[in-house]
Amino acid sequence: MDTTTTFLQLAIPAEENFSLADTLDCGQCFRWEAEGDGWYRGVVSRRFCRAKQTPDGLLLEHAAEGDEPFWRSYFDLEVSYAAIRERLCRDRRLARAAAFAPGIRVLRQEPWETLCSFIISQNNNLGRIKGIVARLCGGFGDELSPGIHAFPRPEQLAGHTEEDLAPLRAGWRAGYLLDAAEKVASGELDLDEIARMPLDDARAALQIIRGVGPKVAECALLYGFGRRECFPMDVWMKRAMKQLFPKGLPRCARADAGIAQQYIFHYARVCPEAFDKK
């Protein structure tokens, strides 16, 4: 990897109200770490980067100018979240959730990494998920520079045994990761094809992997394939929907259900007063 320090500044319109911290810390990604003084470091699609929000927008260290389209896509900066929030705010409960952390954006992550990350996330907490992902990359991914590793490709995991993955301390999830790797590496599951499938077909295709149920499939499709109509349901979301939206997601949110879900999820998980108001 080129170790020359380069900086890229991404301008963000003021009305978009972007928050790097809320976006990276809201439970949708697992390879970014806070370093202090507003900086985060992470590896995205074999690119190491440090990121910091500034008054001028988003400052990226180790990102080349030619990579601007990649990073704008990754942070979903081409989409008007201000317009989406305006639609969501037609419902007063959704308005509260969106207002709690309006700077959240749904990242456009790499499909294979996202699929594996949410397999690992099952019955797990954020710290342990990040630890397992870091050990997976360090043990099986290409070294991009000293101490910095890419996420392993399916071919790099396929053919291994659960015993080989024991150092990850992933428990029963190791078998699921290996099954995913075998199916993708062999071509039995074509991730590029999934991106083009009707949504129900895509959901079904992902669930041929051992251990991938509706929730993991929905997360993979939302965060890894950009399917904004997906609406993952975990314990927090089930509680939030039961108490805040007992009649289901309001009609004004259905086209952007995944973004509404991220607002609701973060609001329900972080705000102590989230369930005090109806």
Side-chain angles (χ1 to χ4, degrees):
M1 185 182 76
D2 184 2
T3 57
T4 303
T5 300
T6 56
F7 291 90
L8 177 64
Q9 185 83 52
L10 301 181
I12 302 167
E15 66 271 14
E16 290 300 335
N17 205 13
F18 174 78
S19 169
L20 179 65
D22 286 345
T23 296
L24 298 184
D25 291 335
C26 68
Q28 62 174 313
C29 57
F30 308 104
R31 294 210 70 194
W32 288 96
E33 297 291 342
E35 291 189 317
D37 195 28
W39 283 100
Y40 287 80
R41 61 182 281 147
V43 181
V44 179
S45 297
R46 303 179 68 85
R47 295 166 170 87
F48 170 72
C49 182
R50 295 178 75 236
K52 181 177 182 176
Q53 189 160 2
T54 74
D56 296 321
L58 187 59
L59 181 64
L60 304 177
E61 184 182 7
H62 304 296
E65 185 174 345
D67 270 351
E68 179 170 350
F70 170 84
W71 289 110
R72 294 194 71 85
S73 174
Y74 175 74
F75 286 106
D76 210 18
L77 297 179
E78 301 304 323
V79 174
S80 174
Y81 277 58
I84 291 171
R85 286 194 302 274
E86 184 177 352
R87 292 195 294 273
L88 298 182
C89 287
R90 295 171 188 165
D91 180 272
R92 58 181 176 81
R93 295 156 299 176
L94 275 176
R96 288 203 307 270
F100 180 72
I104 287 177
R105 299 182 94 80
V106 174
L107 300 172
R108 290 183 173 269
Q109 301 178 65
E110 197 279 321
W112 164 246
E113 178 175 342
T114 307
L115 172 61
C116 291
S117 296
F118 281 96
I119 287 173
I120 291 168
S121 77
Q122 296 177 87
N123 298 318
N124 222 340
N125 62 56
L126 185 58
R128 289 196 72 247
I129 298 166
K130 286 188 171 185
I132 293 169
V133 171
R135 291 188 288 274
L136 176 64
C137 296
F140 298 92
D142 294 330
E143 188 171 46
L144 304 176
S145 67
I148 299 173
H149 293 80
F151 196 88
R153 300 184 301 277
E155 297 79 12
Q156 291 175 299
L157 289 180
H160 284 285
T161 66
E162 290 188 39
E163 186 177 46
D164 295 331
L165 269 60
L168 305 183
R169 303 196 295 278
W172 42 266
R173 304 168 191 84
Y176 299 166
L177 289 173
L178 292 175
D179 190 66
E182 294 286 353
K183 285 183 167 64
V184 175
S186 69
E188 181 179 351
L189 182 65
D190 186 336
L191 297 185
D192 290 335
E193 183 63 26
I194 284 176
R196 298 186 288 268
M197 287 180 178
L199 186 55
D200 285 343
D201 292 346
R203 288 170 171 145
L206 287 173
Q207 290 181 68
I208 70 169
I209 298 169
R210 187 160 62 93
V212 173
K215 187 256 184 178
V216 172
E218 205 79 348
C219 287
L221 288 166
L222 173 60
Y223 303 119
F225 291 89
R227 304 297 292 263
R228 292 210 312 254
E229 65 271 44
C230 289
F231 196 78
M233 293 286 287
D234 68 353
V235 172
W236 281 105
M237 284 302 299
K238 288 176 182 177
R239 181 186 176 202
M241 293 303 293
K242 181 178 180 180
Q243 295 195 35
L244 300 177
F245 305 98
K247 295 182 180 180
L249 193 66
R251 185 178 300 276
C252 65
R254 292 177 187 174
D256 303 294
I259 294 173
Q261 182 269 351
Q262 200 64 41
Y263 289 136
I264 297 166
F265 173 79
H266 189 68
Y267 179 56
R269 188 171 62 97
V270 176
C271 180
E273 297 82 26
F275 300 114
D276 291 345
K277 301 176 182 179
K278 295 293 180 70

